[in-house]
Structures are given as structure tokens and as C-alpha cells.
Amino acid sequence: MSDPQRPRASLRTAVVWDVLEEALNRRAEATGKESLDVLDTGGGSGNFAVPVARLGHRVTVVDPSPNALFALERRIAEAGVADRVRGVQGDIHDLFDVAERGGFDAVLCHGVLEYVDDPGEGVRHAVEALRPGGVLSLLAAGLGGAVLARALAGHFNQALRALSDPAGRWGEGDPVPRRFTAEQLTEAVGAAGVKIGAVHGVRVFADLVPGVLVDAEPGALDALNRLEAAAAELPAFHSVASQLHVLGEKRG
């Protein structure tokens, strides 16, 4: 079952959703469960929680924003999955104040590590929430994508600063506090006890292609999605992706 909420926004989520859905299906088969327990930390208004719940799984969304959780309540009600999605206020550092340690078959940690004080601790907490063999889906901002985007926009000094800055920031006005390389993410995930299954580059081309080209040319959106999917697993493109996705399983 594919996520039905997919036109233009699918360029940002299609690759992640496809591999996540496959991983959840494998986990369900391995455990013999029809409904998995899924934790979506930093899940906001339910961009992933709703389609995961539509697959029949139980989802706990942990987010620090009351506004996001309010939007989540409306969204799950409209989608008809309110009985399978629970939203609680919290963050990755205090995760076990609101979520069970070792209580989940899958943990989504998407767009979280960029904003926490200690990314390593964030990864460890996400992994500690998993049952042995559970699935970790980690998505974070990529350094190379930001450098390339700044350079193509003619902001060469900002691109150079992002390239040399320890946090990967291009300046004081940068809205993203921290960016990562694929090596940094895989090292953190491996050290936390996860066997890495795949690394994907996300939004390799989507953020660089003018929207008018995609919207105006028939079939362009589907073609760009296919291009993104084809490039996602190739290591050569990880270094220029706007986001990096790491998928793995907690070691037993």
C-alpha cells in the first residue's frame, strides 16, 4: 500500500516512504504481527505517522510543539486513524519520560538530530526505544546538499563557510543548526548498536530543479521521482543530497 498523499510533496518523502514501508513489512513478517508498535519522535503533524497508521500499525508521535500535536489530532481524525495514533509532548532527550524503553518495533527519527544539543545521545535514545531486531529510520540534513545549493545560488562565501563549519552552517541566518555527512550518521548509528541496512540520499535533485519546470512539463514529476529513487542508494550522490536517510535494525 503506497501513501496516497503524494503529488508535489512526494519529491521530499517518496524515497524514504518506499524503503520504510518495505522495512515495516519485513518486520511484521519476522514477528508475525499484523500491527507493529511504531514510535515517531519529532513526528510533528503526522506526515509519516498517518500513512504508517494506514498500514494498520499503532503509532506514538512524540513532539515538543503543542501546535504540531494539535495539527496531528486534526489530521488523524480526518484520515480516520485516530484509534491508531497517539500524540504526546516531549523530545528525544527526555524520551523515556513519555515512551517505553525497548517497547517499539520501529522508531522514526526524522528531522530531529539537526536541532538537539547532543546528536549522539539522540541516536542512542532512539535505539534504546527499540526492541531487538527493531527498525530504525533516521533522516537528517546533509552537509553537501547545503553547500551545493549555496554555491549554485551564487553565495560562494556561504558555501565555503558551510563546508568548513563544524556544524555545517552557512551563516548566522542559516535556519538549520546542524548538518551531517553520511559517514557521521552511520558512525553514530553503528556505535549505538544498529546494523545498517541502507543509506539513501534524499532530495538529490528536487531542491535544485525549478518548480516551474516540474509543474509545467507533463510527466516531469514522475520522471524526477524515478531519478531520485535511482540515485538514492548510489554513494556518489550521498555527498550532494539535501537529506540523508539511514535505515537499520537493532542488534539482538
Side-chain angles (χ1 to χ4, degrees):
M1 172 182 171
S2 296
D3 180 8
Q5 301 176 344
R6 265 209 184 177
R8 187 85 168 82
S10 67
L11 288 173
R12 298 178 177 271
T13 62
V15 169
V16 177
W17 171 250
D18 288 344
V19 297
L20 176 61
E21 183 179 11
E22 290 178 8
L24 293 175
N25 289 340
R26 288 195 303 270
R27 177 64 177 170
E29 291 178 5
T31 59
K33 297 179 180 178
E34 292 185 2
S35 182
L36 301 176
D37 296 305
V38 179
L39 175 65
D40 188 357
T41 177
S45 60
N47 288 339
F48 280 89
V50 168
V52 168
R54 283 194 174 121
L55 295 175
H57 305 307
R58 296 178 295 271
V59 187
T60 299
V61 176
V62 177
D63 198 281
S65 168
N67 291 336
L69 293 173
F70 179 73
L72 173 69
E73 287 187 15
R74 287 192 311 180
R75 188 168 184 177
I76 61 178
E78 292 170 357
V81 294
D83 60 327
R84 294 195 293 274
V85 181
R86 179 175 71 102
V88 292
Q89 189 171 1
D91 60 38
I92 193 75
H93 286 311
D94 300 320
L95 183 61
F96 301 115
D97 291 342
V98 296
E100 180 185 356
R101 192 185 301 267
F104 297 91
D105 296 291
V107 171
L108 282 56
C109 185
H110 295 173
V112 172
L113 298 187
E114 298 93 322
Y115 300 96
V116 298
D117 294 332
D118 186 343
E121 181 187 63
V123 173
R124 290 192 297 273
H125 282 188
V127 175
E128 287 171 14
L130 284 168
R131 294 167 179 149
V135 174
L136 175 68
S137 176
L138 180 71
L139 183 68
L143 171 63
V147 173
L148 183 61
R150 291 285 96 190
L152 291 179
H155 303 302
F156 306 121
N157 288 329
Q158 292 180 351
L160 181 60
R161 178 167 175 176
L163 192 59
S164 58
D165 184 72
R169 304 187 76 228
W170 48 256
E172 295 302 321
D174 192 337
V176 179
R178 188 179 288 105
R179 294 184 178 89
F180 303 89
T181 64
E183 291 75 18
Q184 288 172 328
L185 291 178
T186 55
E187 181 179 334
V189 168
V194 168
K195 179 183 177 182
I196 297 170
V199 180
H200 301 92
V202 180
R203 290 157 51 194
V204 175
F205 308 103
D207 290 354
L208 304 176
V209 177
V212 64
L213 295 180
V214 178
D215 296 333
E217 184 176 340
L221 179 61
D222 288 340
L224 183 53
N225 265 322
R226 292 195 299 272
L227 178 61
E228 288 280 354
E233 289 194 60
L234 298 177
F237 290 99
H238 295 168
S239 60
V240 294
S242 295
Q243 291 181 307
L244 295 164
H245 181 238
V246 179
L247 187 74
E249 295 181 359
K250 183 176 182 178
R251 297 188 181 97

